[in-house]
Amino acid sequence: MSLVKIQTNTHLPKRIILVRHGESSGNADRNVRGTTPTHKFELTEKGIEQAKQTGIRIKKLISENDNNWKVFFYVSPLERTRKTLREIGGSFPTRRVMGVKEEPRLRDLNFGNYHDPASIGKIQKERFTYGRFYYRVPGGETGAEVYDRISDFLETLWRDVDMNRHHHNPNKELNLVIVSHGLASQVFLMKWFKWTVEQFEYLNNLGNCEFRVMELGAGGEYSLAVHHTDEEMLEWGMSPEMIADQKWRANANRGTLNDHCPWYLDAFFDHLADSNDKDDEDVKSNNSYLPLA
């Protein structure tokens, strides 16, 4: 068993970097949503420049202290994400790029088809009042449905890692760059770090071409705190408890549970009685008769 774990760990990417696309025509002009399908929004000139600069920043980040690095890209199929990837990719020499995989499950929240520009403001207000996770955009989907497909994508991502579909040489540092959308990136982090729906609702959207860096810590867990500061994470809407968990992850052994993480237990109970050895044995005995769910 330990041999298998060691072999799997050798394939772990050093970083998983989540990038939102550059400014699109739909970001710059709400009226575009009434005439252009959302999957066809183009990058603006500003968005193109944002993507170029982001490519430079990401390359600097992953190459600064290592000469033996590689990068593999995942990208949403929408026009604005593909164009963002194209501009980001201009910073990377061909020999450094292991591959690119278009992934439809990384697409943006479906906002329906065409929308009367006058109704968009009302929809956005309702969405934030009702709750972004559960609100269904008229003719579109909910944040919960995005969560389901991102969860499914994560299963594929881990199969790709475990089966070494990135052709990762353990002697080289592999970096995965996922170019998608603001909500998709937030949901990705929510699923990965087991954040609650309530915690998700407090998160701020990523700016155009803003990115989040999940970096492998000393013990084999991924953490936002390896690269990002407390101030940055607070600006994203993360609570002090969430930030403390990220700091714990930066040095935690892979697969361990943070006993001091309040939303794993405390958030669901006002109090629990102190346990003793007899209580523990009773729980084990009772659980042995519970049906599998």
Side-chain angles (χ1 to χ4, degrees), residues 36-104:
T36 305
T38 57
H39 61 277
K40 291 186 177 180
F41 291 167
E42 294 278 354
L43 290 186
T44 63
E45 289 299 318
K46 178 180 178 180
I48 291 172
E49 184 60 27
Q50 288 173 331
K52 288 179 179 177
Q53 292 303 316
T54 295
I56 293 171
R57 291 173 61 200
I58 292 176
K59 179 177 178 287
K60 180 180 179 181
L61 164 67
I62 65 182
S63 65
E64 199 163 30
N65 298 310
D66 181 64
N67 293 320
N68 217 11
W69 57 274
K70 296 285 186 178
V71 63
F72 189 100
F73 294 98
Y74 289 89
V75 63
S76 157
L78 279 61
E79 190 68 19
R80 56 191 181 274
T81 44
R82 289 173 59 95
K83 290 289 179 61
T84 299
L85 172 63
R86 185 172 294 115
E87 299 301 331
I88 287 175
S91 294
F92 294 87
T94 303
R95 67 185 181 88
R96 297 287 189 177
V97 180
M98 299 297 292
V100 179
K101 185 175 182 180
E102 181 177 282
E103 179 48 73

Side-chain angles (χ1 to χ4, degrees), residues 6-24:
I6 291 172
Q7 180 63 31
T8 301
N9 281 344
T10 61
H11 293 156
L12 290 176
K14 180 173 183 179
R15 300 178 188 86
I16 301 173
I17 303 175
L18 306 171
V19 188
R20 187 188 176 196
H21 60 82
E23 183 188 75
S24 71

Side-chain angles (χ1 to χ4, degrees), residues 2 10 19 27 62 87 115 129 161 177 191 204 265 272 290:
S2 61
T10 61
V19 188
N27 298 136
I62 65 182
E87 299 301 331
H115 279 294
T129 301
V161 170
V177 178
K191 171 65 177 177
N204 298 315
L265 189 64
L272 289 174
L290 292 175

Side-chain angles (χ1 to χ4, degrees), residues 114-245:
Y114 301 107
H115 279 294
D116 173 8
S119 70
I120 294 173
K122 179 176 180 292
I123 291 171
Q124 293 285 27
K125 183 177 179 180
E126 281 185 350
R127 181 168 167 251
F128 280 89
T129 301
Y130 190 91
R132 292 178 300 153
F133 195 77
Y134 296 114
Y135 181 80
R136 182 175 299 283
V137 177
E141 63 181 339
T142 66
E145 288 167 328
V146 177
Y147 181 93
D148 290 343
R149 55 178 161 85
I150 293 296
S151 298
D152 193 55
F153 164 68
L154 270 171
E155 296 294 327
T156 300
L157 180 67
W158 274 114
R159 282 196 297 273
D160 286 351
V161 170
D162 286 341
M163 299 179 70
N164 199 21
R165 290 172 177 159
H166 305 109
H167 307 292
H168 176 209
N169 181 337
N171 295 319
K172 300 181 186 296
E173 288 187 350
L174 176 64
N175 299 270
L176 301 182
V177 178
I178 300 175
V179 183
S180 63
H181 308 268
L183 185 70
S185 297
Q186 292 176 59
V187 167
F188 184 102
L189 294 171
M190 175 189 179
K191 171 65 177 177
W192 190 289
F193 294 121
K194 302 179 177 62
W195 293 340
T196 66
V197 173
E198 183 179 11
Q199 288 169 324
F200 165 81
E201 293 290 357
Y202 282 102
L203 296 176
N204 298 315
N205 196 12
L206 285 74
N208 290 120
C209 269
E210 190 176 351
F211 57 88
R212 307 280 190 261
V213 181
M214 298 166 52
E215 188 162 331
L216 198 61
E221 280 284 342
Y222 286 92
S223 170
L224 294 165
V226 176
H227 176 75
H228 298 288
T229 65
D230 290 16
E231 290 74 22
E232 285 179 295
M233 291 186 280
L234 281 171
E235 288 177 1
W236 302 342
M238 291 173 61
S239 68
E241 292 79 13
M242 294 165 75
I243 295 171
D245 182 58

